[in-house]
Amino acid sequence: MGKLSFFVGAGVGYVLGARAGRQQFEKIKSASQHVWENPRVQSSVNKVEEKVSEVAKDKASAVTDKVTDTVRSRMGGHSGSSGSGSAGSGDASQTGVGGSMRPTPPQPEL
């Protein structure tokens, strides 16, 4: 009889807790939706989105420049020159069979 009453009590507690939990969840959801739709909140969200977009554009340009410089230095060229030397004038240790370049091993992050 002890196990039966335990399981009945646990079942009743679960059902009542689930109902109360669902009601509380709906209250929280409604309140958060109300706050999110507030014009001042949306204005702040738009400002943050614009700032993030600007920073991303700036960082993308810096990363592109760094990658370009790294590739040029690995190819034996200089970052300030354009068109000096041919594409096949790399280091002989970098070329494999048929004159194609072997992949560069992974480099540590800077």
Side-chain angles (χ1 to χ4, degrees):
M1 187 70 180
K3 288 184 180 181
L4 179 62
S5 58
F6 171 76
F7 285 115
V8 168
V12 169
Y14 175 78
V15 169
L16 293 176
R19 285 186 183 165
R22 182 67 182 183
Q23 289 172 349
Q24 190 65 23
F25 171 77
E26 291 297 332
K27 285 181 185 178
I28 293 169
K29 181 180 170 186
S30 174
S32 64
Q33 187 69 28
H34 182 70
V35 169
W36 182 255
E37 292 172 355
N38 185 321
R40 286 191 283 171
V41 171
Q42 286 301 309
S43 173
S44 296
V45 168
N46 289 336
K47 288 178 184 176
V48 169
E49 286 177 342
E50 289 172 5
K51 184 66 175 174
V52 167
S53 178
E54 289 174 19
V55 170
K57 287 178 184 177
D58 292 343
K59 295 296 179 180
S61 175
V63 169
T64 302
D65 292 344
K66 187 167 187 138
V67 168
T68 301
D69 290 344
T70 302
V71 169
R72 285 182 178 161
S73 69
R74 298 288 170 121
M75 297 289 292
H78 299 287
S79 61
S81 65
S82 61
S84 64
S86 64
S89 66
D91 185 8
S93 65
Q94 291 290 322
T95 58
V97 177
S100 63
M101 294 186 68
R102 289 183 286 162
T104 304
Q107 302 297 312
E109 292 185 24
L110 301 176

